Amino acid sequence: MNNRPLHTALFAAALGLAGTGAAQAQDALTAPQVRAQLEAQGYTKVEDLEFKDGMWKADATSANGKRVDVRLDPRTGNVYPDKPVSALGEADIRAQLSAAGYSGVHDVKLDDGLWKAKGTTAAGEKVKVRLDPTTGEVIALEKD
């Protein structure tokens, strides 16, 4: 039995895969580019930057001052924190609530991936609210 066509096909496939890997390695971000990407997204104190398991990995301080482990897509630079971090700060949340008619806003904090706050509605009810960490929209409201 002649396996020459099979061997030729396997060899061609192996070359194709090797070429793909080389192309991906050439397209990958370098360590300085990864550090710059993290800093541009508000991360500071970037430490232990390493390429592992096909992704960049680092320890950093997020915009809200908490230490997080992050992973980055080596081609796009998309950041994937181990604990989701809000793109909004406390001032943003206070402004969002004020614009929505809330007053006396206090106890604003990011907890369990959501913003939490207490305040008074335009109708005078004291409430606890939960807000989306990306948009700042109220997603839950409970009388206080």
Side-chain angles (χ1 to χ4, degrees), residues 63-135:
N64 66 356
K66 298 193 182 215
R67 291 297 291 172
V68 293
D69 290 328
V70 294
R71 297 198 188 295
L72 284 89
D73 182 315
R75 290 167 288 126
T76 65
N78 288 342
V79 179
Y80 302 97
D82 65 336
K83 298 173 190 157
V85 177
S86 176
L88 303 174
E90 182 179 340
D92 299 316
I93 296 302
R94 288 180 179 276
Q96 184 87 6
L97 289 171
S98 178
Y102 292 87
S103 61
V105 175
H106 60 95
D107 293 344
V108 178
K109 63 182 176 180
L110 184 63
D111 188 32
D112 295 330
L114 296 173
W115 280 100
K116 297 179 181 180
K118 294 180 181 179
T120 306
T121 66
E125 288 185 295
K126 291 186 179 197
V127 293
K128 294 179 187 177
V129 292
R130 304 291 182 268
L131 300 99
D132 182 288
T134 304
T135 66

Side-chain angles (χ1 to χ4, degrees), residues 35-75:
R35 186 175 296 278
Q37 180 80 6
L38 285 168
E39 290 171 356
Q41 293 186 35
Y43 291 93
T44 59
K45 299 179 184 171
V46 178
E47 300 171 352
D48 299 330
L49 182 61
E50 66 178 323
F51 192 78
K52 185 176 181 183
D53 300 327
M55 295 189 82
W56 282 102
K57 180 183 181 285
D59 296 325
T61 300
S62 66
N64 66 356
K66 298 193 182 215
R67 291 297 291 172
V68 293
D69 290 328
V70 294
R71 297 198 188 295
L72 284 89
D73 182 315
R75 290 167 288 126

